[in-house]
């Protein structure tokens, strides 16, 4: 991996070009107090950004640590070659018209290859990117406005979108930002490598990623390992959808997996917290910056409104956040502080009896903070400062701080609306070690992310490999292939005629199931007959189907639950394993979870426990539980088939897997992939 520390923490900066963008880079650095030399380079202009220029790169007094290349795309390649030859620390390539424009420009991809060759071992960001802002050292290789300020410590954000990066600098949530980095085309240095470099800065407390697509899987695994080793967390917002993942459409698995389930499963495997919005990412990073990873998801909430207490409780439904019941010690302390008229609960409405009384609030808030809690939350919305006074709100803030100091429990202010927690208050609270969380929904997202337990380090994902000539196996062929890897399937036989089908039924023993081969959507087409109790009934059913051939199978009884096991090749992320409610419930319940291969038994058990149909597996309302280890064995058999074939598989589906008290049997299967 290239050392990009010189680029991100430069002591000298060169700016190549004379347009408004380059002028802005110079001025932004000086405005932020960058104390190293800034060397604009232009062949004719005497000054850029108020700084004297040198006419050529060769005229620079020393190799620059960081360079902003703000010239056209052909000139960018030439500048990168000179900089690399003189030993520069790295460059931001601002110009567009490279591989991102391959549809519009026939030479875009070739020119990007030329840029890489010219740069050699010199690190480059982009091309087609804004660059970065280092608010720690005041180094801004950034050609536009921004909304940030110098900090001593803070979080880092890396995004594939320059405009989103610009917008994030405008946040008014009191979040200290140490770095904002855009990656553009990631021609040489990718998002994960940049994330590793930023996390290695001891002044960076957490990392936020806005991801449009995951490229180098191994680089992301290395990033996650680095973060784990440093005790720092990563929060990601993943957008975008893989067209390749949608290409597999012959099974339920493809639709259940969805376009980005592979990416989400990959990030979850690495312990990267995932959010659904930029605001959720900012609030999660803020909580991680101030309080660090929470020791659990157990929290307490206080407010002086019953409506707010109910809203807090309702908003947490379905999230990984727990409001534990009050202990006797909490009840005793709260009763002494609040009197007999307040109903004690968590979340707590402490009423307004002590509003404005800082000492009484301190006692009450401290009494609520049991040592077992990971976080104490005080719901507090400030009035508009242009029309109202908020002296009493400031007293409440001081009480929150005092309660945290007295109890040792990290504390947070939570506003129900993002605009009711002013930036000045947010900054003041962050400085005092209290986390200001703006907006109830995003606050709970932050708490859920910070309170998540990191998964155990997993084996590297099984890398995706292209399937060149996939074919769809018959059901019988698919079952036979999977059975050789340990999957249990019904006793069966194939028949060409109705008479042969009856003979096979007599050999297997009735009751049996008859299936017409070569017919799509067998159930809807009447090509499946269940529970045939005599060979003559099998022959009659076969004549009615008039299929090209038939599959006769033993009828599995004792069904307690039905599951789906599927594997789909996701070219961007690996092999996505889907576990879901099976049979007729697959589409009705939309109950599924996705993992990436390889998996182990305990991981499979945890995934099954997260399904809504888990109650059926455990024995619902007195029913017998299924043989869970048999289910795990079935999943591992499917995995073994994929991994021992050198990944020449595009799609597998078992639906349904009949689960009984002592077995898990695949009664239908398909495989699409290369032939053996």
């Amino acid at each position: 991996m290239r050392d990009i520390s010189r680029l991100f923490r430069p002591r000298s900066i060169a700016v190549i070009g004379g347009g408004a963008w380059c002028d802005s880079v110079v001025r932004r650095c000086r405005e932020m107090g960058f104390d190293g030399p800034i060397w604009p380079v232009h062949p004719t202009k005497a000054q850029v950004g108020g700084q004297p220029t040198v006419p050529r790169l060769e005229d620079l007094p020393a190799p620059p640590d960081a360079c902003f290349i703000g010239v056209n795309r052909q000139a960018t390649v030439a500048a990168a070659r000179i900089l690399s030859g003189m030993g520069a620390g790295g460059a931001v390539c601002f110009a567009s018209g490279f591989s991102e424009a391959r549809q519009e420009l026939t030479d875009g991809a070739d020119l990007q290859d030329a840029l890489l060759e010219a740069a050699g071992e010199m690190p480059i960001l982009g091309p087609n990117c804004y660059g970065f802002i280092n608010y720690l050292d005041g180094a801004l290789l950034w050609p536009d406005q921004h909304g940030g300020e110098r900090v001593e410590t803070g979080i880092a954000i890396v995004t594939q979108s320059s405009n989103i990066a610009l917008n994030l600098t405008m946040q008014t949530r009191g979040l200290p930002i140490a770095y904002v980095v855009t990656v553009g085309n990631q021609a040489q240095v990718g998002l994960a490598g940049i994330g590793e470099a930023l996390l290695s800065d001891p002044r960076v407390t957490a990392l936020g990623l806005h991801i449009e697509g995951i490229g180098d899987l191994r680089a992301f695994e290395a990033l996650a390992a680095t973060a784990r080793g440093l005790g720092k967390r990563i929060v990601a917002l993943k957008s975008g959808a893989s067209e390749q993942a949608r290409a597999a459409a012959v099974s339920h698995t493809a639709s259940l997996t969805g376009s980005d389930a592979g990416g989400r499963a990959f990030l979850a495997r690495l312990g990267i917290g995932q959010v659904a919005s930029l605001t959720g990412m900012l609030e999660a990073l803020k909580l991680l910056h101030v309080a660090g990873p929470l020791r659990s998801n157990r929290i307490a909430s206080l407010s002086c409104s019953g409506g707010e207490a109910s809203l807090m409780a309702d908003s947490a439904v379905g999230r990984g956040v727990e409001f534990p019941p009050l202990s006797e010690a909490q009840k005793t302390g709260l009763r002494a502080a609040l009197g007999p008229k307040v109903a004690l609960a968590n979340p707590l409405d402490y009423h307004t009896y002590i509003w404005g009384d800082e000492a009484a609030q301190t006692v009450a808030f401290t009494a609520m903070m049991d040592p077992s809690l990971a976080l104490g939350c005080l719901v507090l919305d400030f009035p508009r400062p242009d029309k109202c006074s908020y002296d009493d709100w400031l007293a409440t803030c001081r009480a929150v701080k005092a309660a945290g100091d007295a109890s040792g429990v990290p504390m947070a202010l939570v506003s129900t609306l993002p605009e009711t927690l002013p930036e000045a208050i947010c900054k003041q609270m962050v400085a005092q070690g209290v986390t200001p969380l703006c907006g109830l929904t995003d606050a709970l997202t932050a708490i859920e992310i910070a309170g998540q337990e990191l998964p155990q380090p997993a084996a590297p994902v099984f890398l995706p490999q292209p399937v060149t000539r996939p074919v769809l196996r018959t059901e019988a062929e698919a079952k036979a292939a999977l059975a050789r890897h340990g999957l249990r399937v019904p006793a069966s036989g194939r028949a060409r005629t109705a008479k042969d089908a009856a003979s096979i039924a007599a050999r297997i023993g009735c009751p049996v199931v008859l299936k017409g081969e070569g017919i799509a959507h067998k159930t809807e087409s009447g090509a499946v007959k269940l529970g045939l109790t005599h060979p003559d009934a099998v022959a009659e059913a076969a004549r009615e189907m008039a299929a090209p051939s038939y599959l006769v199978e033993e009828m599995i009884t004792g069904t307690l639950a039905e599951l789906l096991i599927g594997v789909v090749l996701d070219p961007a992320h690996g092999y996505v394993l889907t576990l879901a409610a099976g049979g007729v419930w697959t589409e009705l319940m939309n109950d599924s979870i996705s993992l990436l291969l390889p998996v182990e038994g305990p991981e499979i058990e945890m995934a099954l426990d997260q399904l809504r149909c888990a109650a059926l597996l455990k024995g619902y309302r007195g029913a017998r539980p299924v043989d869970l280890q048999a289910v795990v064995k079935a999943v591992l058999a499917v995995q073994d088939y994929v991994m021992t074939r050198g990944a020449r598989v595009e799609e597998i589906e078992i639906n349904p897997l009949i689960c009984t008290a002592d077995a898990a049997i695949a009664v239908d299967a398909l495989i699409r992939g290369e032939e053996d």
Side-chain angles (χ1 to χ4, degrees):
M1 177 178 170
R2 289 176 171 84
D3 180 7
I4 52 181
S5 59
R6 256 181 90 193
L7 172 62
F8 285 127
R9 288 178 274 181
R11 296 188 177 183
S12 60
I13 295 173
V15 180
I16 304 162
W21 300 111
C22 294
D23 186 274
S24 180
V25 172
V26 176
R27 295 186 185 278
R28 298 291 174 244
C29 282
R30 287 301 182 220
E31 288 170 2
M32 293 298 289
F34 180 72
D35 58 6
I38 302 175
W39 299 313
V41 180
H42 196 274
T44 60
K45 287 189 174 183
Q47 290 188 342
V48 172
Q51 292 285 118
T53 64
V54 297
R56 304 180 310 154
L57 284 169
E58 293 86 344
D59 298 324
L60 290 172
D65 290 329
C67 312
F68 184 87
I69 306 178
V71 294
N72 67 52
R73 61 195 190 116
Q74 285 85 6
T76 294
V77 176
R81 189 178 305 278
I82 296 172
L83 289 168
S84 178
M86 66 191 308
V92 170
C93 299
F94 178 61
S96 58
F98 293 87
S99 65
E100 86 286 351
R102 69 181 68 209
Q103 298 298 322
E104 296 80 18
L105 300 172
T106 57
D107 65 342
D110 291 338
L111 198 62
Q112 183 157 305
D113 290 340
L115 176 62
L116 288 174
E117 186 274 329
E121 291 302 309
M122 181 185 72
I124 59 171
L125 289 188
N128 183 38
C129 80
Y130 258 28
F132 69 88
I133 301 173
N134 172 349
Y135 286 118
L136 297 164
D137 304 309
L140 286 79
L141 274 73
W142 184 262
D144 206 338
Q145 301 180 92
H146 67 94
E149 60 189 8
R150 292 286 294 267
V151 297
E152 294 183 0
T153 63
I155 60 89
I157 297 174
V158 187
T159 171
Q160 292 178 247
S161 167
S162 295
N163 202 55
I164 286 178
L166 173 65
N167 296 339
L168 290 174
T169 71
M170 303 298 174
Q171 60 87 25
T172 58
R173 296 164 177 262
L175 173 63
I177 299 178
Y179 291 94
V180 174
V181 182
T182 66
V183 298
N185 293 5
Q186 303 182 81
Q188 183 205 74
V189 182
L191 190 149
I194 293 168
E196 269 202 88
L198 300 182
L199 282 177
S200 67
D201 189 327
R203 300 169 294 177
V204 171
T205 54
L207 175 65
L209 302 176
H210 168 243
I211 306 170
E212 294 175 16
I214 295 172
D216 188 337
L217 300 179
R218 292 290 182 253
F220 266 85
E221 289 172 339
L223 168 63
T226 295
R228 187 186 292 266
L230 294 171
K232 300 179 183 181
R233 293 291 181 93
I234 305 172
V235 182
L237 169 62
K238 186 183 181 301
S239 59
S242 164
E243 293 181 5
Q244 296 95 325
R246 289 197 297 267
V250 302
S251 72
H252 291 294
T253 303
S255 60
L256 287 173
T257 299
S259 59
D260 67 342
R264 294 183 181 279
F266 180 65
L267 295 176
R269 182 186 187 92
L270 299 182
I272 295 176
Q274 298 177 64
V275 295
S277 67
L278 290 170
T279 54
M281 182 174 75
L282 292 177
E283 295 306 304
L285 290 170
K286 191 193 306 177
L287 181 55
L288 289 167
H289 171 76
V290 179
L294 302 180
R295 58 191 177 196
S296 74
N297 64 351
R298 292 164 53 86
I299 69 172
S301 174
L302 306 98
S303 65
C304 63
S305 161
E308 290 172 346
S310 296
L311 192 60
M312 186 74 160
D314 289 348
S315 298
V317 172
R319 296 178 178 270
V321 175
E322 180 184 350
F323 296 100
L326 298 179
S327 68
E328 290 303 316
Q330 286 173 296
K331 291 177 182 178
T332 299
L334 288 169
R335 183 63 67 210
L338 300 175
K341 297 181 181 180
V342 176
L344 303 182
N346 184 20
L348 174 67
D349 167 19
Y350 66 87
H351 292 243
T352 56
Y353 301 119
I354 59 173
W355 178 252
D357 186 337
E358 181 179 336
Q361 286 183 321
T362 299
V363 172
F365 299 167
T366 303
M368 187 70 170
M369 296 303 114
D370 186 86
S372 68
L373 295 170
L375 186 70
C377 299
L378 194 289
V379 180
L380 190 67
D381 289 84
F382 278 72
R384 290 178 53 150
D386 58 336
K387 296 186 176 182
C388 308
S389 169
Y390 49 57
D391 289 345
D392 287 346
W393 282 257
L394 295 177
T396 301
C397 290
R398 291 192 293 270
V400 169
K401 164 65 173 168
D405 291 342
S407 66
V409 175
M411 300 296 292
L413 288 184
V414 178
S415 66
T416 59
L417 301 174
E419 59 266 32
T420 55
L421 199 47
E423 183 179 18
I425 299 298
C426 289
K427 289 182 177 180
Q428 177 183 332
M429 291 294 97
V430 168
Q432 295 178 7
V434 175
T435 308
L437 296 173
C438 304
L440 186 55
T441 300
D442 290 333
L444 287 167
T445 294
I447 296 167
E448 185 176 20
I449 293 293
Q452 287 176 347
E453 183 178 356
L454 286 180
Q456 292 298 314
V461 297
F462 193 39
L463 293 178
Q465 301 179 36
V467 178
T468 55
R469 291 183 297 275
V471 297
L472 184 64
R473 307 284 187 88
T474 67
E475 179 183 343
E477 291 170 341
K479 286 179 176 175
L482 292 168
R484 290 192 289 271
H485 291 263
L487 183 69
R488 182 170 171 182
V489 299
S492 66
R494 300 180 68 190
R496 290 288 183 184
T497 66
K499 180 179 179 181
D500 290 342
S503 298
I504 293 171
R507 174 174 58 82
I508 291 174
C510 292
V512 296
V513 178
L514 180 69
K515 300 178 181 180
E517 294 188 317
I519 300 175
H521 308 296
K522 291 183 176 62
T523 301
E524 293 85 344
S525 303
V528 177
K529 296 294 182 181
L530 304 175
L532 299 173
T533 58
H534 194 277
D536 292 342
V538 174
E540 181 180 352
R543 285 190 288 270
E544 291 176 355
M545 280 184 198
S549 58
Y550 306 94
L551 181 63
V552 184
E553 293 186 331
E554 68 171 309
M555 180 76 182
I556 304 301
T557 59
T559 301
L560 297 172
E562 296 183 357
L563 292 174
L564 174 149
I565 304 171
V567 174
V568 170
L569 169 61
D570 178 348
H573 308 111
Y575 293 84
V576 183
L577 167 68
T578 297
L579 304 175
V584 298
W585 300 109
T586 299
E587 293 174 337
L588 291 175
M589 291 185 68
N590 192 28
D591 181 20
S592 66
I593 188 168
S594 294
L595 306 169
L596 286 178
L597 301 185
V599 293
E600 297 181 351
E603 188 178 358
I604 298 169
E605 292 183 38
M606 289 178 61
L608 292 170
D609 194 50
Q610 294 177 51
L611 295 174
R612 290 198 295 274
C613 66
L616 289 176
L617 305 180
K618 296 175 182 178
Y620 185 64
R621 290 194 171 185
R624 298 179 67 189
V626 307
D627 185 343
L628 191 61
Q629 292 309 307
V631 175
V632 171
K633 182 179 179 182
V635 176
L636 293 175
V638 174
Q639 172 175 271
D640 187 65
Y641 175 84
V642 175
M643 297 187 71
T644 57
R645 282 178 51 80
R648 293 183 294 130
V649 179
E650 196 167 80
E651 187 175 4
I652 298 177
E653 182 172 283
I654 311 297
N655 189 23
L657 180 79
I658 297 295
C659 304
T660 72
D662 54 11
I665 306 168
V667 299
D668 199 357
L670 70 80
I671 295 176
R672 184 169 67 178
E674 295 179 11
E675 294 185 288
D676 293 329

